[in-house]
Each structure stands twice: as C-alpha cells, then as structure tokens.
Amino acid sequence: MNDTPPHSPLAELEQDDRFRIFAFNERVQLLTQLCEKQVLIRITPQGSTEPLLSALLEVDHVHGTIVFDGGRDPAINRRLESAQELDIVTDLDRVRVHFQVSNPKPVLVEGRAAFEVSFPESIMRLQRREFFRIAPPMNRPILVRLHSRMGADGSVTSARGVDISIGGMVMLIDGPVAGLAIGQVLPKTSITLPEIATIESGLEVRNLQFLERSGRTGTTRVGCRFVGLNQANTARVQRYINRLEVELRRRT
C-alpha cells in the first residue's frame, strides 16, 4: 500500500516518530494547507497498487473530518468505499507528507462523488534535509566503532559507513555477522565523521543484507536508524552532510 519500498532509507525514516505530527492543531493546519492550495494527493486503497489522484475538498476541524474528491470511474469509487484503510501521499512545498485514514464514507459535494474520513491519527512530514542521503568519499570513510562485540566469536568491533542522513546510516561489515537481527538496538556506537567530529549514538538495525563476493568472504550491509542522537550531534551530522554536498558540487 505504501509507495515507499520497504527497505529504502525513506521507509526507515518513516518509522521514526520524530518526523510525525501528533498535535491536533498542527494536523489541522497542515491538512488545511493541502486543501487551500489544492495540492494533488495520491490515494492508494489497502491491498492495491493503483493510486487515485485526488485533492482535499473540505477540512472540518470541529468534527475532525476531511473530504476528498472521488474518481470519475464508478469502479474506482467502489474500491475506495470498500477499503478499510487508505494510504495518502503528497508533496507540499518540497516537503513529503504521508498519512493513513480509515473507513471512507461516500458523500456528495456539489453533485459529484467524494469521500469523508476522520482525521489521521498522525501525519509524517519529511523535509528534504531529513531524508537526503549522501555517501562519503572512498578515501575518507565514516568509521564506526561498535562497543557491543558481534559475530560468532565476538571479533566484530568496527564497521565503515557508506552513506548517511539525519535519520540514520548504512554501514558495511566484512563477512557474515552472526547474532545480528532486524530490530536489534546497538545501544552505544562511536561514529567518526571525517574532519567534523566523533559522535556517540545508538543504532537500531532496520535491514540486513549479505553481499556475496566471488573469491572473498563477502560483506554484510546494515541499514540503521539513529537512536538517542542528541541535538548537538544531529547538528554535527548535518554539518558533515553539508560539507560533502559542497565537495560534490565542486567535483561536478
């Protein structure tokens, strides 16, 4: 239903409540902007891969409901009406907006088909800087020290970061790694950002992939979400990303 691939960096960020809006007034404000600007939204019924392009027609903050335009095809509207859950994605001023609503109720607005739903419980709002990822130069990799020993013999103590964003990073570990699982939290790691600083953060494993190499032991690719990254270290990560962006522009 979600149009984000399940193992993409963006999917990893969408699990992070730091980027979700829960406050009622903030949800009203964002939904009202979508309605007033008539921003196109992509609505995908649960279990379907075919989205409907639509727009919000009404935002009722008193009753906590929104109304969106239906389709011209009656078959599409029947599919919307029968869906228990709808996935809605759009972009507002270069910011990704993503939320789910349930139990759409058919209504008429100025004689045309529409649907009413209750406000989403939360809204994901991702600015470009939050999901933009960048890879460090090969000659200056991000170095990761794992304070929790891993591997069958406990010999894995380090990794190298191959891309990073405000929300997390991908690291490579030589060979297969026993005992590492999706959802596992590495409570303390030291991450050296070349020419910036060494920061401390927990890492939650979001995806794992073993990459085989002919004639070699292979590499384990670990996609991680930062856990407990404080404001000062978040700023250091952003400064590191900004520096790499400047270097990349100079090279191109």
Side-chain angles (χ1 to χ4, degrees), residues 163-240:
D163 80 31
I164 190 168
S165 75
I166 289 296
M169 65 183 300
V170 172
M171 59 184 184
L172 298 181
I173 301 173
D174 292 333
V177 182
L180 191 62
I182 292 175
Q184 180 178 346
V185 175
L186 308 175
K188 185 179 179 183
T189 61
S190 298
I191 303 166
T192 299
L193 306 174
E195 302 175 13
I196 296 295
T198 295
I199 64 173
E200 303 285 335
S201 177
L203 294 175
E204 179 186 1
V205 178
R206 303 299 302 177
N207 61 74
L208 279 170
Q209 183 181 13
F210 181 67
L211 307 173
E212 295 188 16
R213 296 287 187 269
S214 177
R216 296 168 59 186
T217 57
T219 304
T220 300
R221 181 186 185 277
V222 189
C224 298
R225 179 176 73 89
F226 290 132
V227 177
L229 189 67
N230 62 34
Q231 187 173 359
N233 283 336
T234 297
R236 292 183 180 104
V237 172
Q238 184 63 60
R239 194 160 77 248
Y240 175 68

Coordinates of all heavy atoms in Angstrom, one line a residue, residues 163-240:
D163 N 26.8 5.5 3.6 CA 26.0 6.6 3.4 C 25.3 7.0 4.7 O 25.2 6.3 5.6 CB 25.0 6.5 2.2 CG 23.8 5.7 2.5 OD1 23.3 5.7 3.7 OD2 23.3 5.0 1.6
I164 N 24.9 8.3 4.7 CA 24.4 8.8 6.0 C 23.3 9.9 5.7 O 23.3 10.5 4.6 CB 25.6 9.4 6.8 CG1 25.1 9.8 8.2 CG2 26.2 10.6 6.1 CD1 26.3 10.1 9.1
S165 N 22.4 10.0 6.6 CA 21.4 11.1 6.6 C 21.2 11.5 8.0 O 21.7 11.0 9.0 CB 20.1 10.6 6.0 OG 19.4 9.8 6.9
I166 N 20.3 12.5 8.2 CA 20.0 12.9 9.5 C 19.3 11.8 10.4 O 19.5 11.7 11.6 CB 19.0 14.1 9.5 CG1 19.7 15.4 9.0 CG2 18.4 14.5 10.9 CD1 20.9 15.8 9.9
G167 N 18.6 10.9 9.7 CA 17.9 9.9 10.4 C 18.6 8.6 10.6 O 18.2 7.8 11.5
G168 N 19.7 8.3 9.9 CA 20.4 7.1 10.0 C 21.5 6.9 9.1 O 22.0 7.9 8.4
M169 N 22.0 5.7 9.0 CA 23.2 5.4 8.1 C 23.2 4.0 7.7 O 22.5 3.1 8.2 CB 24.5 5.8 8.8 CG 24.8 4.9 10.0 SD 26.3 5.4 10.9 CE 27.5 5.1 9.6
V170 N 24.0 3.7 6.6 CA 24.2 2.3 6.2 C 25.7 2.0 6.5 O 26.6 2.8 6.1 CB 23.9 2.2 4.7 CG1 24.4 0.8 4.2 CG2 22.4 2.3 4.5
M171 N 26.0 0.9 7.1 CA 27.3 0.5 7.3 C 27.6 -0.9 6.8 O 26.7 -1.7 6.6 CB 27.7 0.6 8.8 CG 26.9 -0.3 9.7 SD 27.3 0.0 11.5 CE 26.2 -1.3 12.3
L172 N 28.9 -1.1 6.4 CA 29.3 -2.4 5.9 C 30.3 -3.0 6.9 O 31.1 -2.4 7.5 CB 30.0 -2.2 4.6 CG 29.2 -1.6 3.4 CD1 30.1 -1.5 2.2 CD2 28.0 -2.4 3.1
I173 N 30.1 -4.4 7.1 CA 30.9 -5.1 8.0 C 31.5 -6.3 7.1 O 30.7 -7.0 6.4 CB 30.1 -5.7 9.2 CG1 29.5 -4.5 10.0 CG2 31.0 -6.5 10.1 CD1 28.6 -5.0 11.1
D174 N 32.8 -6.5 7.2 CA 33.4 -7.6 6.4 C 32.8 -9.0 6.9 O 32.8 -9.2 8.1 CB 34.9 -7.6 6.6 CG 35.5 -6.3 5.8 OD1 34.8 -5.9 4.9 OD2 36.6 -5.9 6.3
G175 N 32.4 -9.8 5.9 CA 32.0 -11.1 6.2 C 30.6 -11.2 6.8 O 29.9 -10.2 7.1
P176 N 30.0 -12.4 7.0 CA 28.7 -12.6 7.6 C 28.8 -12.2 9.1 O 29.9 -12.4 9.7 CB 28.4 -14.0 7.4 CG 29.7 -14.7 7.3 CD 30.6 -13.7 6.6
V177 N 27.7 -11.8 9.7 CA 27.7 -11.4 11.1 C 26.6 -12.2 11.8 O 25.4 -12.0 11.6 CB 27.5 -9.9 11.3 CG1 27.5 -9.6 12.8 CG2 28.5 -9.1 10.6
A178 N 27.0 -13.1 12.7 CA 26.1 -14.0 13.4 C 25.5 -13.2 14.6 O 26.2 -12.3 15.2 CB 26.8 -15.2 13.9
G179 N 24.3 -13.4 14.9 CA 23.7 -12.8 16.1 C 23.1 -11.4 15.9 O 22.7 -10.7 16.8
L180 N 23.2 -10.9 14.7 CA 22.6 -9.5 14.4 C 21.3 -9.7 13.7 O 21.1 -10.5 12.8 CB 23.6 -8.8 13.5 CG 23.3 -7.3 13.3 CD1 23.4 -6.5 14.6 CD2 24.3 -6.7 12.2
A181 N 20.3 -9.0 14.2 CA 18.9 -9.2 13.7 C 18.2 -7.8 13.5 O 18.5 -6.8 14.2 CB 18.1 -10.0 14.7
I182 N 17.2 -7.8 12.6 CA 16.4 -6.6 12.4 C 15.7 -6.3 13.7 O 15.1 -7.2 14.3 CB 15.5 -6.9 11.2 CG1 16.3 -7.0 9.9 CG2 14.4 -5.7 11.1 CD1 15.4 -7.3 8.7
G183 N 15.7 -5.0 14.0 CA 15.0 -4.6 15.3 C 16.0 -4.5 16.4 O 15.7 -3.9 17.5
Q184 N 17.1 -5.1 16.3 CA 18.1 -5.1 17.4 C 18.7 -3.7 17.5 O 18.9 -3.0 16.6 CB 19.2 -6.1 17.1 CG 20.3 -6.1 18.2 CD 21.4 -7.2 17.8 OE1 21.2 -8.0 17.0 NE2 22.5 -7.1 18.5
V185 N 18.9 -3.3 18.8 CA 19.5 -1.9 19.1 C 20.9 -2.1 19.6 O 21.1 -2.8 20.6 CB 18.6 -1.1 20.1 CG1 19.3 0.2 20.4 CG2 17.2 -0.9 19.5
L186 N 21.8 -1.5 18.9 CA 23.2 -1.4 19.4 C 23.2 -0.1 20.3 O 23.2 1.0 19.7 CB 24.2 -1.3 18.3 CG 24.0 -2.4 17.2 CD1 25.0 -2.2 16.0 CD2 24.2 -3.8 17.8
P187 N 23.2 -0.2 21.6 CA 23.0 0.9 22.4 C 24.0 2.0 22.4 O 23.7 3.2 22.7 CB 22.9 0.3 23.8 CG 23.6 -1.0 23.7 CD 23.4 -1.5 22.4
K188 N 25.3 1.6 22.0 CA 26.3 2.7 22.0 C 27.3 2.4 20.9 O 27.9 1.3 20.9 CB 27.0 2.7 23.4 CG 28.1 3.8 23.5 CD 28.7 3.9 24.8 CE 29.8 5.0 24.9 NZ 30.5 5.0 26.2
T189 N 27.5 3.4 20.0 CA 28.5 3.3 19.0 C 29.2 4.6 18.9 O 28.6 5.7 19.2 CB 27.9 2.9 17.6 OG1 26.9 3.9 17.2 CG2 27.2 1.6 17.6
S190 N 30.4 4.6 18.5 CA 31.2 5.8 18.2 C 31.3 6.0 16.7 O 31.8 5.0 16.0 CB 32.5 5.8 18.8 OG 32.4 5.7 20.2
I191 N 30.9 7.1 16.1 CA 30.9 7.3 14.7 C 31.8 8.5 14.4 O 31.5 9.6 14.8 CB 29.4 7.6 14.2 CG1 28.5 6.4 14.6 CG2 29.4 7.8 12.7 CD1 27.0 6.7 14.5
T192 N 32.8 8.2 13.6 CA 33.8 9.3 13.3 C 33.4 9.9 11.9 O 33.5 9.2 10.9 CB 35.2 8.7 13.3 OG1 35.5 8.2 14.6 CG2 36.2 9.8 12.9
L193 N 33.0 11.1 12.0 CA 32.7 11.9 10.7 C 34.0 12.7 10.4 O 34.3 13.6 11.1 CB 31.5 12.8 11.0 CG 30.3 12.2 11.6 CD1 29.3 13.3 11.9 CD2 29.7 11.2 10.6
P194 N 34.7 12.2 9.3 CA 35.9 12.9 9.0 C 35.9 14.4 8.9 O 35.0 15.0 8.3 CB 36.3 12.3 7.6 CG 35.6 10.9 7.6 CD 34.3 11.2 8.4
E195 N 36.9 15.0 9.6 CA 37.0 16.5 9.6 C 35.9 17.2 10.3 O 35.9 18.4 10.3 CB 37.2 17.0 8.2 CG 38.3 16.4 7.4 CD 38.4 16.9 6.0 OE1 37.7 17.9 5.6 OE2 39.1 16.3 5.2
I196 N 35.0 16.4 11.0 CA 34.0 17.1 11.8 C 34.1 16.7 13.3 O 34.4 17.6 14.1 CB 32.6 16.7 11.3 CG1 32.4 17.2 9.8 CG2 31.5 17.3 12.2 CD1 32.3 18.7 9.7
A197 N 33.8 15.5 13.6 CA 33.8 15.1 15.0 C 33.5 13.6 15.1 O 33.1 12.9 14.1 CB 32.8 15.8 15.8
T198 N 33.8 13.0 16.3 CA 33.3 11.7 16.6 C 32.1 11.8 17.5 O 32.2 12.5 18.5 CB 34.4 10.9 17.3 OG1 35.5 10.7 16.4 CG2 33.9 9.5 17.7
I199 N 31.0 11.2 17.1 CA 29.8 11.4 17.9 C 29.4 10.0 18.4 O 29.8 9.0 18.0 CB 28.6 11.9 17.0 CG1 28.3 10.9 15.8 CG2 29.0 13.3 16.4 CD1 27.1 11.3 15.0
E200 N 28.5 10.1 19.5 CA 28.0 8.9 20.1 C 26.5 8.7 19.8 O 25.8 9.7 19.8 CB 28.2 8.9 21.6 CG 29.6 9.1 22.1 CD 30.5 7.8 21.9 OE1 29.8 6.7 21.9 OE2 31.7 7.9 21.8
S201 N 26.1 7.5 19.4 CA 24.7 7.3 19.2 C 24.4 5.8 19.3 O 25.2 5.0 19.0 CB 24.3 7.8 17.8 OG 22.9 7.5 17.5
G202 N 23.1 5.5 19.6 CA 22.7 4.1 19.5 C 22.3 3.9 18.0 O 22.0 4.9 17.3
L203 N 22.2 2.7 17.6 CA 21.8 2.3 16.2 C 20.8 1.2 16.3 O 21.0 0.2 16.9 CB 23.0 1.9 15.4 CG 24.0 2.9 15.0 CD1 25.2 2.3 14.3 CD2 23.5 4.1 14.2
E204 N 19.6 1.4 15.6 CA 18.7 0.3 15.5 C 18.8 -0.3 14.1 O 18.7 0.4 13.1 CB 17.2 0.9 15.7 CG 16.2 -0.2 15.6 CD 14.8 0.3 15.7 OE1 14.6 1.5 15.8 OE2 13.8 -0.5 15.6
V205 N 18.9 -1.6 14.1 CA 19.0 -2.3 12.8 C 17.7 -2.3 12.1 O 16.7 -2.9 12.6 CB 19.6 -3.7 13.0 CG1 19.6 -4.4 11.6 CG2 20.9 -3.7 13.7
R206 N 17.6 -1.7 10.9 CA 16.3 -1.7 10.2 C 16.3 -2.7 9.0 O 15.3 -3.1 8.6 CB 16.1 -0.2 9.6 CG 16.1 0.8 10.6 CD 15.0 0.6 11.6 NE 13.7 0.6 11.0 CZ 12.5 0.3 11.6 NH1 12.5 0.1 12.9 NH2 11.4 0.3 10.9
N207 N 17.5 -3.0 8.4 CA 17.5 -4.0 7.4 C 18.9 -4.6 7.3 O 19.9 -3.9 7.7 CB 17.0 -3.5 6.0 CG 17.8 -2.4 5.5 OD1 19.0 -2.6 5.0 ND2 17.3 -1.2 5.5
L208 N 19.0 -5.8 6.9 CA 20.2 -6.6 6.8 C 20.3 -7.2 5.4 O 19.3 -7.8 4.9 CB 20.3 -7.7 7.9 CG 20.7 -7.3 9.3 CD1 20.4 -8.5 10.2 CD2 22.1 -6.9 9.3
Q209 N 21.5 -7.2 4.8 CA 21.7 -7.9 3.6 C 23.1 -8.4 3.5 O 24.1 -7.6 3.7 CB 21.4 -7.0 2.4 CG 21.5 -7.6 1.0 CD 21.2 -6.6 -0.1 OE1 21.1 -5.4 0.1 NE2 21.0 -7.2 -1.3
F210 N 23.3 -9.7 3.2 CA 24.7 -10.2 3.0 C 25.0 -10.2 1.5 O 24.3 -10.7 0.7 CB 24.8 -11.6 3.5 CG 26.2 -12.2 3.3 CD1 27.2 -11.7 4.1 CD2 26.4 -13.2 2.4 CE1 28.5 -12.2 3.9 CE2 27.7 -13.7 2.3 CZ 28.8 -13.2 3.0
L211 N 26.1 -9.5 1.2 CA 26.5 -9.3 -0.2 C 27.7 -10.3 -0.5 O 28.8 -10.1 0.0 CB 27.0 -7.9 -0.4 CG 25.9 -6.8 0.0 CD1 26.6 -5.4 -0.2 CD2 24.7 -6.9 -0.9
E212 N 27.4 -11.2 -1.3 CA 28.5 -12.2 -1.6 C 29.4 -11.6 -2.7 O 29.1 -10.9 -3.5 CB 27.8 -13.5 -2.2 CG 27.0 -14.2 -1.2 CD 26.5 -15.6 -1.7 OE1 27.1 -16.0 -2.7 OE2 25.6 -16.2 -1.1
R213 N 30.7 -12.0 -2.5 CA 31.7 -11.6 -3.4 C 32.5 -12.8 -3.9 O 33.0 -13.6 -3.1 CB 32.7 -10.6 -2.7 CG 32.0 -9.3 -2.3 CD 31.7 -8.4 -3.5 NE 31.2 -7.1 -3.1 CZ 30.0 -6.8 -2.9 NH1 29.1 -7.7 -3.1 NH2 29.6 -5.6 -2.5
S214 N 32.7 -12.9 -5.2 CA 33.4 -14.1 -5.7 C 34.8 -14.1 -5.2 O 35.6 -13.2 -5.3 CB 33.4 -14.0 -7.2 OG 34.1 -15.1 -7.8
G215 N 35.2 -15.3 -4.6 CA 36.5 -15.5 -4.1 C 36.8 -14.7 -2.8 O 38.0 -14.7 -2.4
R216 N 35.8 -14.1 -2.2 CA 36.0 -13.3 -1.0 C 35.0 -13.7 0.1 O 34.0 -14.5 -0.2 CB 36.0 -11.8 -1.3 CG 37.1 -11.4 -2.2 CD 36.8 -9.9 -2.7 NE 36.7 -9.0 -1.6 CZ 36.4 -7.7 -1.8 NH1 36.1 -7.3 -3.0 NH2 36.4 -6.9 -0.7
T217 N 35.2 -13.2 1.3 CA 34.2 -13.6 2.4 C 32.9 -12.9 2.3 O 32.0 -13.3 2.9 CB 34.9 -13.3 3.7 OG1 35.2 -11.9 3.8 CG2 36.1 -14.1 3.9
G218 N 32.8 -11.9 1.5 CA 31.6 -11.1 1.4 C 31.4 -10.0 2.4 O 32.3 -9.8 3.2
T219 N 30.3 -9.3 2.4 CA 30.1 -8.2 3.2 C 28.7 -8.1 3.7 O 27.8 -8.5 3.0 CB 30.4 -6.8 2.5 OG1 31.7 -6.9 1.9 CG2 30.3 -5.6 3.4
T220 N 28.5 -7.7 5.0 CA 27.1 -7.6 5.5 C 26.8 -6.1 5.5 O 27.5 -5.2 6.0 CB 27.0 -8.1 6.9 OG1 27.4 -9.5 6.9 CG2 25.6 -7.9 7.5
R221 N 25.7 -5.8 4.8 CA 25.2 -4.4 4.7 C 24.1 -4.2 5.7 O 23.1 -5.0 5.8 CB 24.6 -4.1 3.3 CG 24.1 -2.7 3.1 CD 23.4 -2.6 1.7 NE 23.0 -1.3 1.4 CZ 21.8 -0.7 1.9 NH1 21.0 -1.4 2.6 NH2 21.5 0.5 1.5
V222 N 24.3 -3.2 6.6 CA 23.4 -3.0 7.7 C 22.8 -1.6 7.6 O 23.5 -0.6 7.7 CB 24.1 -3.2 9.1 CG1 23.1 -3.1 10.2 CG2 24.9 -4.4 9.1
G223 N 21.5 -1.5 7.4 CA 20.8 -0.2 7.4 C 20.3 0.1 8.8 O 19.7 -0.7 9.5
C224 N 20.7 1.3 9.3 CA 20.4 1.6 10.7 C 19.7 2.9 10.9 O 19.9 3.8 10.1 CB 21.7 1.7 11.5 SG 22.7 0.1 11.6
R225 N 18.9 3.0 12.0 CA 18.3 4.3 12.4 C 19.0 4.8 13.6 O 19.3 4.0 14.5 CB 16.8 4.1 12.7 CG 16.1 5.3 13.1 CD 14.6 5.0 13.3 NE 14.3 4.2 14.5 CZ 14.1 4.6 15.7 NH1 14.1 6.0 15.9 NH2 13.8 3.8 16.7
F226 N 19.3 6.1 13.7 CA 19.9 6.6 14.9 C 19.0 6.6 16.0 O 17.8 6.9 15.9 CB 20.3 8.1 14.7 CG 21.5 8.3 13.7 CD1 21.4 9.2 12.7 CD2 22.6 7.6 13.9 CE1 22.5 9.4 11.8 CE2 23.7 7.7 13.0 CZ 23.6 8.7 12.0
V227 N 19.5 6.2 17.2 CA 18.6 6.1 18.4 C 19.3 7.0 19.5 O 20.5 6.8 19.8 CB 18.5 4.7 18.9 CG1 17.7 4.6 20.2 CG2 17.8 3.8 17.9
G228 N 18.6 8.0 20.0 CA 19.1 8.8 21.1 C 20.2 9.8 20.6 O 21.0 10.2 21.4
L229 N 20.1 10.2 19.3 CA 21.1 11.2 18.8 C 20.7 12.5 19.3 O 19.6 13.0 19.0 CB 21.1 11.1 17.3 CG 22.2 12.0 16.6 CD1 23.5 11.4 16.8 CD2 21.9 12.0 15.1
N230 N 21.5 13.2 20.1 CA 21.1 14.4 20.7 C 21.2 15.6 19.7 O 21.7 15.4 18.6 CB 21.9 14.7 22.0 CG 23.4 14.9 21.7 OD1 23.8 15.4 20.7 ND2 24.2 14.5 22.7
Q231 N 20.7 16.7 20.1 CA 20.6 17.9 19.2 C 22.0 18.3 18.7 O 22.2 18.6 17.5 CB 19.9 19.0 19.9 CG 19.7 20.2 19.0 CD 18.8 21.3 19.7 OE1 18.4 21.1 20.8 NE2 18.5 22.4 19.0
A232 N 23.0 18.3 19.6 CA 24.3 18.7 19.2 C 24.9 17.8 18.1 O 25.5 18.2 17.1 CB 25.3 18.8 20.4
N233 N 24.7 16.5 18.3 CA 25.3 15.5 17.4 C 24.5 15.5 16.1 O 25.0 15.3 15.0 CB 25.3 14.1 18.0 CG 26.5 14.0 18.9 OD1 27.5 14.7 18.8 ND2 26.4 13.1 19.9
T234 N 23.2 15.8 16.2 CA 22.4 15.9 15.0 C 22.9 17.1 14.1 O 23.0 17.0 12.9 CB 20.9 16.2 15.3 OG1 20.4 15.1 16.0 CG2 20.1 16.4 14.0
A235 N 23.3 18.2 14.8 CA 23.8 19.3 14.1 C 25.2 19.0 13.4 O 25.5 19.4 12.3 CB 24.0 20.5 15.0
R236 N 26.0 18.1 14.1 CA 27.3 17.7 13.5 C 27.1 16.8 12.3 O 27.8 17.0 11.3 CB 28.1 17.0 14.6 CG 28.5 17.9 15.7 CD 29.4 17.2 16.7 NE 29.8 18.0 17.8 CZ 29.3 18.0 19.0 NH1 28.3 17.2 19.3 NH2 29.7 18.9 19.9
V237 N 26.1 16.0 12.3 CA 25.8 15.1 11.2 C 25.3 16.0 10.0 O 25.8 15.8 8.9 CB 24.7 14.1 11.5 CG1 24.2 13.4 10.2 CG2 25.1 13.1 12.5
Q238 N 24.5 17.0 10.3 CA 24.0 17.9 9.2 C 25.2 18.7 8.6 O 25.3 18.9 7.4 CB 23.0 18.9 9.8 CG 22.4 19.8 8.7 CD 21.6 19.0 7.6 OE1 20.7 18.3 7.9 NE2 22.1 19.1 6.4
R239 N 26.1 19.1 9.5 CA 27.3 19.9 9.0 C 28.2 19.0 8.1 O 28.7 19.5 7.1 CB 28.1 20.4 10.2 CG 29.1 21.5 9.8 CD 29.6 22.3 11.0 NE 30.5 21.6 11.9 CZ 30.3 21.2 13.1 NH1 29.1 21.4 13.6 NH2 31.2 20.6 13.8
Y240 N 28.3 17.7 8.5 CA 29.1 16.8 7.7 C 28.4 16.6 6.3 O 29.1 16.6 5.3 CB 29.2 15.5 8.4 CG 29.9 14.4 7.7 CD1 31.2 14.5 7.4 CD2 29.2 13.3 7.2 CE1 31.9 13.4 6.7 CE2 29.8 12.3 6.5 CZ 31.2 12.4 6.2 OH 31.8 11.4 5.5

